[in-house]
Amino acid sequence: MQVELYLIEAVDRVLSSMSQKSSNKARSFLEKMGVHVLTNTMATSCDDKTVFIDSGKSLNTGIIIWTAGIKGNSTVGLAAECFSRNGRIIVESYNRVSGYSNIYALGDIALQTEEKYPQGHPQVAQVAIQQAQFLAENLERIKSNKPLREFRYKDLGTMATVGRHLVVVELPSLRFQGVFAWFIWMFIHLMSIIGVKNKLMIFMNWAWKYFTYDQSTRLIIRPKGCADISTNNYSIPE
Ligand SMILES: Cc1cc2nc3c(=O)[nH]c(=O)nc-3n(C[C@H](O)[C@H](O)[C@H](O)COP(=O)(O)OP(=O)(O)OC[C@H]3O[C@@H](n4cnc5c(N)ncnc54)[C@H](O)[C@@H]3O)c2cc1C
């Protein structure tokens, strides 16, 4: 099936939490695959056939995939003041829920601010892992009557994959993109999988898909040799 893919992004670049360079690279990766990237464009509403955008224009479409973030699952019983506007539970620097002495929240659901993250931490696995380890240590400290330590998020870096050989990596002191980044992405994700058997199965699966060009789960399929449409002028259908 031939599809036209539009990526609608409210802010002025994709991957806005990463550097401008990585954003530009990711955009060019997407455009080379034929995706129409519309930045500074807000989806205001949609029905099953149309997406309406803030310029007053609309896109006719058969399929809409909404990826504009997540909302916390509300927890009945906690005071309304504990919740931020997007449903995250407000916690202080020990991950204790604001206003409670024995309820803790961590990971995606927790909204914890620190100087570097005034709007809260990014909702990524590293934050959840580090907060869990930290809270475990603090609970040990409570048990032995030691003073609690305040959580500080250690950003180990960010990676985003756009497609085959197309990855952007930002480590605290190093940024790179392309094929090497793609290998690093695979290595780190493989090492994060629990158990040798799982690692091996996933590695074999990836290798099979890589060498056979198995695209059964891919959304963007461009036949080999197909023209790059990234430079085509296009307009949003009325
Ligand atoms: C599609 C996708 C891709 C992602 N890719 C990345 C990535 O590449 N790198 C990265 O760092 N992060 C990624 N993330 C984010 C990452 O998954 C989260 O930041 C991380 O899982 C947060 O961990 P958590 O323990 O806070 O929450 P979760 O992992 O979401 O765990 C919460 C658990 O609580 C359960 N639950 C919810 N409500 C209740 C209830 N009332 N009672 C009992 N159980 C309940 C849920 O079923 C779930 O199992 C991705 C997220 C998504 C959705």
Side-chain angles (χ1 to χ4, degrees), residues 209-224:
K209 283 177 190 290
Y210 182 78
F211 289 114
T212 60
Y213 278 80
D214 180 352
Q215 295 180 320
S216 54
T217 55
R218 281 184 190 271
L219 187 65
I220 307 170
I221 302 169
R222 184 157 58 88
K224 270 185 166 175

Side-chain angles (χ1 to χ4, degrees), residues 28-83:
S28 92
F29 286 158
L30 285 165
E31 288 181 338
K32 281 201 174 103
M33 288 196 290
V35 178
H36 304 296
V37 181
L38 309 180
T39 44
N40 285 319
T41 305
M42 179 102 90
T44 50
S45 67
C46 66
D47 58 30
D48 60 342
K49 291 194 182 64
T50 323
V51 176
F52 298 92
I53 55 179
D54 51 3
S55 63
K57 291 187 173 171
S58 60
L59 277 162
N60 294 328
T61 176
I63 300 172
I64 301 167
I65 303 173
W66 186 257
T67 60
I70 54 161
K71 195 165 192 278
N73 202 358
S74 68
T75 313
V76 180
L78 287 181
E81 306 82 72
C82 296
F83 295 95

Side-chain angles (χ1 to χ4, degrees), residues 95 106-107 110 112 121 126-135 151:
N95 281 93
L106 52 85
Q112 184 183 59
H121 299 115
Q126 263 307 314
V127 173
I129 293 166
Q130 289 180 30
Q131 284 183 339
Q133 287 165 345
F134 205 83
L135 180 57
F151 178 78

